[in-house]
Amino acid sequence: MSSAELTCGEAVVDKRLLAALQRECLQLAKLPSAETSFPGSQPVSFERKHLGKALGAQAYYAAEKTDGVRYMLLAAREGAFLVDRRFNFRRVRLHLPRRDLPAVQVTGTLLDGELVEDHARKSGARTLRYLVYDAVAVHAKVLLKEPLPTRLLYVHKYVLAPRALALAHDYSAEPFTVELKAFYNTAQLRHVFERVIPSLEHENDGIIFTPAAEPYVPGTCHSLLKWKPAHMNTVDFRLLAIYRHRQPRFQLGAARGAVTVPYAWLDPMEKDVPQLEALSGQIVECYFDPEWKTTSYAPDARDWADAAVTHGGWRFMRPREDKHIPNDESVVGKVIKSIQDNVTQDELLSSIDGGDSGAADGVADARAAPAADGATQPVDAPLDVRDAARASREAPGAVGATGSGLRAQRGAEAARPAGCCADGADGAGGAGGAGGAGLGAVGAGVAPFCGSERDEGGDEAVLPGASAQS
């Protein structure tokens, strides 16, 4: 999705403020102050080796790969800001009250997520949602070394729940809702493919596998895996229009260190030529078409006569306004390897259904895992943040063993405004998708999370300077 289509707030242009916000992000991510790049974690493309070596060796959570725009969300003393891949900031008006002091806005918080636009099938209404799928820090508590369930538990308890409990606040004026993305145990992957993804009201282009027990890694994380069907694997190149006798041809460049080097030629459809001329020097997303005939040219020739046609080549998909650096050569190589490996959906499901991943190393099959209240949760329930976080503390090798879904804890209903859903127990509301009971949205006309805010023994995540009150 084009970042121009999903842009909110006011761009930060003051250089002092921009430098201060960048510095705070780097400090929270424990990165050197001289760093100038986006601190978010980056996945690697899924290869055949990951079926056994990765998914079979440790516990993973699966989530649908939303085709939105990647942003981190920074809550600082200066306000709330979306942080894009260029490490630029946009101020957004969000109400983010502290759990212990609702009149004070939370600070020292850096979340990772994606802005997505939902299109309601029946009404056609469009809703912007910010889906949180990880956290670097919450209220100055750095979470880098914590397992994923604990990181998400902090998001739930100290960011989303306080918003839900601020019943007097009018969220309708906010630019987007803020929600916890639904995660599933790998044993539930068939349900994700067959029920969750078809029910989505936004675009999807695969599955993200996040290691349950590993820390958050800024930059490339080799255990964070993105699976896409072969035809959806894409690369971000720098496009360069080259002219000989006023006739343009298009070259794609990849990063090699701090420079861009020629990688391949792009043979576009005639109708795309004017747009590509205008995009010269910018980042474009391309996919590989094995049936597409591509013409390559001699680099130093005076005209375009010295050419060779090959079977298979890259095709233009869309511009990437949110990026200013192309993929590195090594990343391009991994994407090509992923395309060549062509791990299909059926192979993925066969590997997981065969027991190669979901129950490895003592991780129990989540299909009939007991819920916190003793009931058996159905296979279609997303993972429960409290159950999963408790499991990660009690037995780090068994993260996810006690909950079949990552969702808000069910329990007695809190006070809520009229029309609010009841904790998503019936599958309505939240980010869970069909049959899911994900954490409900808060903002822009969407009912807030309505679960119990009573803390259970051992589940409280106490922050510095924060009380443990409900």
Side-chain angles (χ1 to χ4, degrees):
M1 178 158 308
S2 170
S3 61
E5 301 172 10
L6 291 182
T7 300
C8 297
E10 303 170 359
V12 174
V13 295
D14 182 272
K15 292 185 178 180
R16 285 190 177 183
L17 176 57
L18 179 61
L21 296 175
Q22 290 176 335
R23 187 164 54 249
E24 179 162 0
C25 283
L26 295 173
Q27 289 173 347
L28 292 173
K30 298 298 182 182
L31 293 173
S33 59
E35 182 63 60
T36 59
S37 58
F38 180 72
S41 188
Q42 306 288 356
V44 298
S45 296
F46 197 99
E47 299 177 20
R48 189 164 296 278
K49 67 181 182 182
H50 293 130
L51 283 173
K53 292 183 179 180
L55 291 183
Q58 59 180 305
Y60 270 86
Y61 289 149
E64 62 93 5
K65 186 178 182 299
T66 305
D67 189 15
V69 178
R70 170 82 176 274
Y71 288 105
M72 300 187 88
L73 178 61
L74 173 69
R77 288 179 299 174
E78 297 84 356
F81 302 86
L82 289 177
V83 188
D84 67 21
R85 291 176 183 266
R86 294 173 176 257
F87 213 9
N88 290 326
F89 293 71
R90 301 188 71 89
R91 186 189 297 272
V92 289
R93 299 188 181 280
L94 293 178
H95 183 55
L96 298 170
R98 279 176 52 167
R99 181 180 174 89
D100 58 332
L101 297 172
V104 179
Q105 296 291 291
V106 71
T107 59
T109 297
L110 183 59
L111 310 180
D112 204 350
E114 197 158 27
L115 192 62
V116 60
E117 185 176 58
D118 274 8
H119 293 212
R121 290 186 174 87
K122 292 183 178 180
S123 66
R126 299 187 175 189
T127 303
L128 279 181
R129 305 162 66 203
Y130 182 73
L131 302 181
V132 183
Y133 51 67
D134 217 324
V136 172
V138 172
H139 197 4
K141 167 70 174 178
V142 175
L143 301 170
L144 293 171
K145 295 183 179 180
E146 300 293 339
L148 178 65
T150 300
R151 300 196 299 266
L152 295 178
L153 179 62
Y154 271 83
V155 176
H156 162 55
K157 294 178 72 69
Y158 293 99
V159 179
L160 301 185
R163 280 170 59 85
L165 292 174
L167 301 179
H169 185 79
D170 179 13
Y171 289 99
S172 63
E174 294 193 346
F176 48 79
T177 68
V178 182
E179 308 171 40
L180 192 65
K181 191 167 187 176
F183 286 76
Y184 295 82
N185 199 296
T186 52
Q188 300 165 282
L189 191 58
R190 185 174 297 277
H191 169 77
V192 175
F193 277 121
E194 295 178 354
R195 297 290 301 280
V196 175
I197 291 177
S199 73
L200 296 174
E201 295 182 335
H202 55 255
E203 294 297 320
N204 163 272
D205 60 353
I207 301 289
I208 289 288
F209 293 97
T210 305
E214 291 193 10
Y216 185 96
V217 178
T220 302
C221 177
H222 294 282
S223 57
L224 180 62
L225 309 174
K226 62 176 179 181
W227 175 88
K228 292 183 177 185
H231 69 279
M232 286 188 172
N233 270 298
T234 60
V235 170
D236 297 324
F237 291 108
R238 187 179 301 282
L239 178 70
L240 180 63
I242 301 175
Y243 293 86
R244 295 174 186 170
H245 302 293
R246 297 185 179 180
Q247 294 180 326
R249 298 294 186 270
F250 301 95
Q251 195 173 68
L252 300 173
R256 181 186 294 168
V259 299
T260 299
V261 296
Y263 193 89
W265 291 92
L266 179 72
D267 211 342
M269 299 177 69
E270 191 65 30
K271 68 180 182 64
D272 292 329
V273 170
Q275 181 185 12
L276 293 175
E277 287 185 276
L279 289 171
S280 182
Q282 299 182 41
I283 307 301
V284 295
E285 186 174 2
C286 300
Y287 66 96
F288 190 83
D289 184 346
E291 303 300 324
W292 187 251
K293 292 183 179 180
T294 301
T295 306
S296 300
Y297 303 91
D300 300 321
R302 301 178 65 88
D303 55 35
W304 299 116
D306 189 359
V309 178
T310 57
H311 201 65
W314 297 97
R315 300 186 66 176
F316 170 70
M317 184 174 177
R318 60 186 175 182
R320 290 299 301 263
E321 295 98 331
D322 58 325
K323 300 189 71 175
H324 67 289
I325 299 174
N327 287 146
D328 190 85
E329 284 180 305
S330 62
V331 174
V332 180
K334 289 182 181 297
V335 173
I336 292 174
K337 182 65 166 61
S338 180
I339 294 172
Q340 293 171 339
D341 282 356
N342 190 25
V343 177
T344 66
Q345 176 179 321
D346 287 342
E347 288 179 301
L348 197 59
L349 291 173
S350 177
S351 173
I352 290 173
D353 288 347
D356 291 338
S357 57
D361 289 340
V363 179
D365 189 336
R367 293 178 183 273
D373 58 3
T376 298
Q377 291 185 337
V379 67
D380 59 359
L383 298 170
D384 187 310
V385 290
R386 297 192 183 190
D387 283 349
R390 184 189 304 114
S392 70
R393 289 194 300 269
E394 294 173 352
V399 174
T402 62
S404 62
L406 191 47
R407 60 175 177 82
Q409 174 73 16
R410 294 182 62 184
E413 298 183 47
R416 60 181 186 274
C420 181
C421 64
D423 195 32
D426 58 357
L439 184 65
V442 180
V446 179
F449 164 68
C450 303
S452 169
E453 278 305 303
R454 296 180 300 177
D455 295 317
E456 299 179 10
D459 277 345
E460 182 64 41
V462 181
L463 294 164
S467 71
Q469 67 184 34
S470 299

